[in-house]
């Protein structure tokens, strides 16, 4: 019993020592590099990035730059921003609604396209509420949806 207690104390001390070791400062360097790249890309570093801990800045910027700002993805900028706006309206996030509206316009979205994206978000939310609230059987729903798609496809041929 005494041996087990000593082993437990030694193990606890070892774990404690691991937790007190100061982490490498690589995060600071990557945050600094990310801030420089953000400024070079956007002209300044918005406060939204400064709310993140240093360890998260480079990853957050890489995600935004790799998808949202990347012109070589499957979706064009306008489509991505209209999607962002539709999601933002549903969350709801007033910051995101403002940002994605302006970004959609910057990417060529018209007022009519913005309205349509928001209408689609509302339609999806409405039917999600109805289907989930009514507890519609998912397998039956999928079967019926597939039948509808097959009929539409047959009419278009």
């Amino acid at each position: 019993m005494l041996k087990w207690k000593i082993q437990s104390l030694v193990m606890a001390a070892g774990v404690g020592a691991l937790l007190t070791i100061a982490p490498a400062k690589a995060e600071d360097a990557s945050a600094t590099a990310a801030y420089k790249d953000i400024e070079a890309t956007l002209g300044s570093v918005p406060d939204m990035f400064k709310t993140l801990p240093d360890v998260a800045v480079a990853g957050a910027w890489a995600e935004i730059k790799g998808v949202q700002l990347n012109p070589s993805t499957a979706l064009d900028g306008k489509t991505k921003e209209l999607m962002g706006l539709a999601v933002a309206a549903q969350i709801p996030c007033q910051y995101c609604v403002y940002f994605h509206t302006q970004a959609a316009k910057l990417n060529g979205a018209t007022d009519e396209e913005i309205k349509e994206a928001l209408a689609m978000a509302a339609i999806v939310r409405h039917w999600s509420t109805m289907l989930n609230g009514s507890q519609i059987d998912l397998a039956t729903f999928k079967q019926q949806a597939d039948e509808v798609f097959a009929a539409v496809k047959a009419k278009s041929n």
Side-chain angles (χ1 to χ4, degrees):
M1 184 70 166
L2 180 61
K3 184 178 177 182
W4 180 82
K5 286 183 179 180
I6 292 172
Q7 285 176 335
S8 296
L9 286 172
V10 169
M11 191 179 317
V15 169
L18 285 174
L19 295 176
T20 61
I21 295 173
K25 293 297 179 184
E27 299 90 18
D28 296 342
S30 64
T32 301
Y35 283 137
K36 287 180 182 175
D37 191 41
I38 292 167
E39 186 167 2
T41 304
L42 304 179
S44 66
V45 178
D47 285 345
M48 63 183 254
F49 291 103
K50 297 174 186 173
T51 64
L52 297 169
D54 284 348
V55 70
V57 174
W61 177 240
E63 182 178 47
I64 289 171
K65 194 170 181 184
V67 178
Q68 185 176 4
L69 300 179
N70 186 347
S72 300
T73 60
L75 298 174
D76 62 36
K78 179 170 72 172
T79 301
K80 289 186 270 190
E81 296 304 338
L82 289 171
M83 290 173 64
L85 174 58
V87 171
Q90 291 298 322
I91 295 174
C93 174
Q94 64 184 351
Y95 306 96
C96 302
V97 166
Y98 178 80
F99 182 89
H100 291 289
T101 298
Q102 298 309 312
K105 288 179 179 181
L106 185 64
N107 278 277
T110 64
D111 288 342
E112 197 61 27
E113 289 170 320
I114 289 169
K115 289 177 188 178
E116 191 170 322
L118 294 171
M120 279 301 302
I123 290 168
V124 171
R125 181 66 171 246
H126 168 82
W127 285 107
S128 173
T129 300
M130 293 304 300
L131 293 166
N132 281 302
S134 300
Q135 300 180 46
I136 299 296
D137 179 67
L138 181 59
T140 302
F141 175 83
K142 286 181 175 183
Q143 179 185 356
Q144 291 172 349
D146 289 344
E147 290 168 2
V148 167
F149 296 135
V152 169
K153 186 175 179 180
K155 282 185 179 183
S156 67
N157 288 336

